[in-house]
Amino acid sequence: MVYAYFNYFQSRQFTRFPPDIAKSLRRALYYTNYSPDPKLALKYYKLALEQCTAAGLDPFSDEVIGVRIQLAAWLEKIGKYKNSIEVLEALLRDCKKWVEKMEKSVQEGLVDKSGRLIGAAAPKPDPAKEGDDEAEEPENLWAKRTRVLGKSVGISVKLGELYADEHVLQGDAAGEHLVWSVETVLKELQRRQVEGVKEGEGDWMTPEQIGGALEGKQNSVDLSLVINY
């Protein structure tokens, strides 16, 4: 038990953060899983997010988004469904705004063919990822858009599930989120077919994948109505 505990809190999910943030996250998860205390868990989740902002971490990195998703998952676990929804709704709004801003920059000719802002300094590799195969090349804006848009779809699907939960029962909101998820996946597929895949953009989801994600959800939409839009 002690060995498992030590290994868990020394795992890579913590070491990717600066030491002070990792410390707050360890405390948050300790009071989430090992010695449940809602007040202290919430305190340290909030502190970790504040520290991420103060440290200038990218708010759309997998790590920072992951903290917000973990907070929402914990709130759901302790029965705070509406609070969990609020956290995910705020995260979804932020992700959508970033994608919209990036797309506007493309339309205004501010992004070059390599997916970098024109005139911007070349991004430096993340020290936390040195030696990792996944970090061989810094992420460009197209790759980041794929990742953030994919996260948005997943978050929206989860919101659809939460709104449909028996503790919430907001069917209209559930349907809106599930429809948006499917429409977004299909619009992105169509964009890639018309424009081609951009440099560094990576793979996108298929209609079958989004259908699988939605399969079995309460209040799920009729996919055929959306796929044939």
Side-chain angles (χ1 to χ4, degrees), residues 94-110:
D94 289 345
C95 288
K96 286 181 177 180
K97 286 180 182 177
W98 185 89
V99 171
E100 290 171 2
K101 184 176 180 181
M102 184 271 177
E103 291 174 347
K104 184 178 179 181
S105 295
V106 172
Q107 293 169 1
E108 293 175 349
L110 302 177

Side-chain angles (χ1 to χ4, degrees), residues 85 89 156 159-165 168-181 218-221:
I85 286 172
E89 286 282 20
S156 194
L159 279 165
E161 179 184 354
L162 284 172
Y163 277 119
D165 188 276
V168 182
L169 292 178
Q170 294 186 30
D172 289 344
E176 288 173 7
H177 278 288
L178 295 176
V179 168
W180 181 87
S181 299
Q218 297 180 37
N219 270 357
S220 61
V221 295

